[in-house]
Amino acid sequence: MNPITEFLEINGPALSSDIARHLVCEKGMSPAAARKRVSRGGQDLKRLQGLVFPHKASFVYLNHQFASHEYWDNLTDALIVTNSAYGFAIAALRQRGGIVSERQFSIVCGSPVRQQRQLSPETILARLRNANLVRIETVPGIGDCVALIQRDGEYRPEPELMRARLITEGIVLAAVKDWLRNLGIASYDKVALRTDEDLPRVGTFVWDLSAPCYLGHMVRTKADGRLTPGFIACDIYHGEEMTEAGVAPFIRKCTMLRALRKVGPCMQILLAERFTPGAFRMLKSCGVIPATPKSLFGEEIAEALSELTSVLHRAAHSAIDPARFEILFSKLSKIDGATSQLRGTLFEFMSGEIARLTIASDIRLNQNFQAPSKEGHPDAKAEADVVAVDRNKLVTLIECKGYSPWATVPEAEFDRWLEHNVPTCYAALRRHPDFSKLALHFEFWSTAALSDESLAKFERAKAAIRPTRYTIDLKLGPDVRKAIKGTRDKGLLTAFDKHFVRDEMTPAPHREPDLSLLEQD
C-alpha cells in the first residue's frame, strides 16, 4: 500500500507537513524526498482547496473520508492549532449540530465584525463556502442558515429541533436580562438581545446579549471627569454538552476583546445547559463565567427549560399536549417575557392542529416561500406559519398571531401580512409545479383584536382581489374558538379558554412602572 494512503487510513486526514514528517521518521526518507512524495500525491488523494495553512502545508484526505466525523475532527484541530479563524468557526458549527442561522454565525464564529488585521465573519463565511466546507441552506421557520457540508446524512438539519432550541434560548435570555436588571448589574433600559434589529455589540464583537454596567469596579473615569461604563457580554447555547472545542470560539472572542484598549472592563458569561469538565475548567481559567440555567435560576426552572425544548420538538411532529404546555406555563411564568413567548408558540401549534382536524390532513408548519425577483429588486421572501394542503383542490396558508386577548394586533404586523406575505407566497406558489393549478386561500388568525384601520384595510383588499387569483379571510378570537369547538378536542378548548379568552370579571393586566436609580448613561 502507498505509505501516504496507509498513514491516512490509520490516522485520518492530515496536514501534508505531518505526513512528510511521518515519512522521514518512520519510513527513513530524506526530508526532500518526503516532501516530493507528498506533493505527487496519488490517485485517491485529495487536497482541500481555498484555505491557507502555515509553511504552504495543505490538508490531505482520501476521497471516502470527505465530510466524515474524522475529517471534521482533524480539520478543526489543524486549524485551531494554527490559531486560524476558520477552525474556530467550524468548531462553533460542530458544537451546534453543524448548522446555525446566518444571522447567528457572526455571533458564534469567534471573530470580530470589523477589526484591523482580522477576518470578519462575512469573509470567513465566503471563504468556507468557496472551499466547499459550508453552504447556505434555507430551513423552515428559521430562514437562511450556515451548514457544514453533509455526508451520509451527517449534520442534516432538523428544523423542529432547531426552532425549539431557539425558542428556549430566547426565554433564557429574557430571564438573564430580567436578572441583570433587577440586581442592578446592567443599565436598566439598555440590555440588548440578539432578537433586536441590531445584534448586541461590545467592542468589535457581537453577542447574544450585551449591556453597559455602572457598578463601581466596572466604571472608568476619563481625563475630563466623565464616566465610561463597563459591559456585560453573554452568549448562549441550550443544547448538547459544550465541549472544549465548542467553547474555544467564545474564549477567543473574550481574549481578543480584552486586548482592545478603548473598551472598558467586561463581565463575560457563557450560558449553556451543561459543560464537560474540561470546558468548564477552560472557561474558569480564562476568567469567563460558565453559567447554567440551574446555577442562575434553580433546579425547577432549569428542568422546565429542558422539558420545553422536548415538548416543542414533539409538538412539531405530532398533536400537541395542552396539559404539558399548561405545566410549563406555570413553571416558567416567573420569567419576565416567557408567558408571551409561550403564548405565541402555543397558538401556532394549536392552529396547526385545528387546520389538520378541520381543513386538510397534510399540514406543514413554518414554510418559507421565495418569489421570483423583478428587475432591479432582490428575491422577495415570506413565511407561512401553517400550510394546509388539500391536493385535490385547495392550499390554505395561515398567519398566526397568539397575543393576549387584551391586546390589539400592531398595524405594522397586519400590513406586512396583507401587503408582503400574501403576494409573495402567491407568486411563489403559482410557479410551484405541485400547487400552480390549485386554488389558494390566505387567512389571518389572531387571538387579539384588529384596529379599525386594519379592519378597513382588510375589507378594501378583500373586495379588490379577484377570486380567480386567491382569496383572503380573517379569524379573530371568537372565530378561532368556534373552529376549536368543531374539533371536539376538549384539551384544545380548555387551553384556548385559559390563555386566549378575555375574562370580563378580571381587569386588564398592567405592569407597574419600573423604578430604578437614575444612571449616568
Side-chain angles (χ1 to χ4, degrees):
M1 181 184 291
N2 183 318
I4 299 177
T5 301
E6 181 183 17
F7 176 86
L8 294 174
E9 288 285 7
I10 295 172
N11 298 282
L15 290 177
S16 56
S17 55
D18 293 336
I19 300 174
R21 189 178 304 112
H22 167 77
L23 296 179
V24 171
C25 298
E26 301 297 329
K27 303 298 181 180
M29 293 185 184
S30 68
R35 288 193 297 269
K36 189 172 182 178
R37 184 67 178 268
V38 173
S39 66
R40 285 203 305 267
Q43 185 176 359
D44 195 35
L45 264 60
K46 302 290 182 181
R47 295 175 185 270
L48 176 63
Q49 304 295 321
L51 297 187
V52 178
F53 291 87
H55 310 298
K56 299 182 179 180
S58 58
F59 189 71
V60 182
Y61 58 94
L62 300 173
N63 195 44
H64 70 271
Q65 293 174 329
F66 176 72
S68 64
H69 280 294
E70 190 176 39
Y71 174 93
W72 290 119
D73 283 340
N74 293 4
L75 176 58
T76 303
D77 290 344
L79 289 166
I80 289 181
V81 164
T82 59
N83 201 34
S84 168
Y86 308 112
F88 291 101
I90 293 172
L93 286 169
R94 297 193 70 213
Q95 174 65 65
R96 290 156 179 82
I99 185 168
V100 298
S101 70
E102 190 171 8
R103 177 177 167 86
Q104 280 187 281
F105 181 78
S106 58
I107 297 175
V108 306
C109 71
S111 292
V113 292
R114 187 175 182 181
Q115 187 172 324
Q116 286 186 343
R117 295 187 296 276
Q118 297 294 334
L119 297 178
S120 68
E122 291 80 8
T123 300
I124 293 170
L125 177 56
R127 293 182 181 176
L128 289 176
R129 292 182 70 184
N130 289 339
N132 197 35
L133 294 175
V134 304
R135 66 171 179 271
I136 301 299
E137 182 164 326
T138 301
V139 177
I142 299 172
D144 288 345
C145 295
V146 180
L148 290 174
I149 296 298
Q150 302 176 41
R151 193 199 75 163
D152 300 331
E154 293 174 17
Y155 304 121
R156 186 167 298 281
E158 193 173 355
E160 297 84 2
L161 182 58
M162 284 184 66
R163 191 161 182 269
R165 179 173 58 79
L166 291 173
I167 291 171
T168 303
E169 289 178 359
I171 291 174
V172 177
L173 286 173
V176 173
K177 175 180 178 178
D178 203 36
W179 177 75
L180 290 171
R181 299 197 313 178
N182 290 341
L183 288 177
I185 297 174
S187 186
Y188 198 89
D189 293 323
K190 295 193 175 181
V191 181
L193 299 177
R194 71 186 186 195
T195 50
D196 296 341
E197 183 175 353
D198 296 322
L199 289 173
R201 185 164 175 169
V202 177
T204 56
F205 294 87
V206 288
W207 313 78
D208 286 324
L209 177 150
S210 72
C213 174
Y214 281 85
L215 294 177
H217 67 287
M218 300 286 280
V219 174
R220 295 292 181 266
T221 304
K222 290 187 175 182
D224 59 6
R226 288 188 300 134
L227 298 180
T228 58
F231 296 94
I232 309 294
C234 175
D235 281 355
I236 182 173
Y237 174 63
H238 197 272
E240 297 297 324
E241 186 175 54
M242 291 210 79
T243 64
E244 294 176 50
V247 304
F250 183 80
I251 290 175
R252 182 174 190 257
K253 286 171 67 173
C254 296
T255 303
M256 293 177 68
L257 180 68
R258 294 170 192 167
L260 301 178
R261 291 179 296 173
K262 295 184 179 181
V263 178
C266 183
M267 181 186 299
Q268 297 155 333
I269 305 169
L270 182 57
L271 184 52
E273 193 170 6
R274 55 194 182 277
F275 301 92
T276 64
F280 188 87
R281 287 192 296 271
M282 280 179 62
L283 292 167
K284 294 288 286 185
S285 66
C286 292
V288 172
I289 299 174
T292 64
K294 182 178 179 180
S295 66
L296 288 177
F297 311 116
E299 189 168 349
E300 182 183 16
I301 295 293
E303 289 178 353
L305 290 167
S306 294
E307 185 179 2
L308 175 62
T309 301
S310 62
V311 167
L312 293 174
H313 187 205
R314 287 197 302 271
H317 285 284
S318 58
I320 66 172
D321 184 350
R324 296 307 307 160
F325 264 99
E326 187 54 44
I327 294 172
L328 293 174
F329 262 104
S330 176
K331 290 182 178 180
L332 298 175
S333 61
K334 302 171 186 176
I335 299 176
D336 187 33
T339 300
S340 60
Q341 290 193 54
L342 286 175
R343 183 184 287 116
T345 302
L346 173 61
F347 183 64
E348 196 172 290
F349 285 129
M350 290 178 70
S351 299
E353 185 66 5
I354 296 166
R356 186 182 69 82
L357 295 172
T358 61
I359 301 176
S361 58
D362 185 357
I363 298 297
R364 307 165 191 186
L365 301 180
N366 310 116
Q367 293 296 297
N368 296 303
F369 294 93
Q370 182 169 312
S373 60
K374 297 179 180 179
E375 187 174 352
H377 296 278
D379 293 351
K381 298 179 181 180
E383 180 183 308
D385 294 326
V386 178
V387 180
V389 182
D390 182 339
R391 292 197 173 274
N392 294 322
K393 56 182 180 179
L394 179 68
V395 180
T396 302
L397 295 92
I398 304 171
E399 181 81 3
C400 308
K401 297 297 179 186
Y403 293 119
S404 162
W406 300 94
T408 299
V409 177
E411 291 183 4
E413 292 277 350
F414 184 77
D415 290 350
R416 179 167 178 81
W417 172 75
L418 188 62
E419 299 170 3
H420 174 79
N421 289 19
V422 170
T424 299
C425 294
Y426 168 77
L429 286 169
R430 273 291 167 256
R431 288 163 176 78
H432 195 290
D434 294 336
F435 307 124
S436 59
K437 295 182 180 180
L438 300 181
L440 300 180
H441 179 62
F442 297 86
E443 292 193 355
F444 187 93
W445 292 15
S446 175
T447 56
L450 288 179
S451 69
D452 292 340
E453 176 61 29
S454 293
L455 285 170
K457 189 172 291 187
F458 171 78
E459 293 300 335
R460 291 194 298 269
K462 186 174 183 179
I465 295 170
R466 296 196 311 273
T468 53
R469 299 180 71 223
Y470 59 86
T471 55
I472 60 174
D473 207 351
L474 287 177
K475 269 191 174 67
L476 300 182
D479 304 312
V480 176
R481 190 177 190 278
K482 184 178 179 180
I484 294 175
K485 291 188 72 174
T487 68
R488 301 179 181 273
D489 189 317
K490 292 183 179 180
L492 283 178
L493 187 60
T494 300
F496 186 82
D497 284 347
K498 180 157 188 178
H499 297 288
F500 301 109
V501 174
R502 181 185 297 188
D503 182 358
E504 299 297 343
M505 300 299 293
T506 304
H510 68 280
R511 286 182 65 90
E512 295 293 336
D514 292 311
L515 302 177
S516 58
L517 294 175
L518 294 177
E519 298 165 328
Q520 184 177 353
D521 289 347

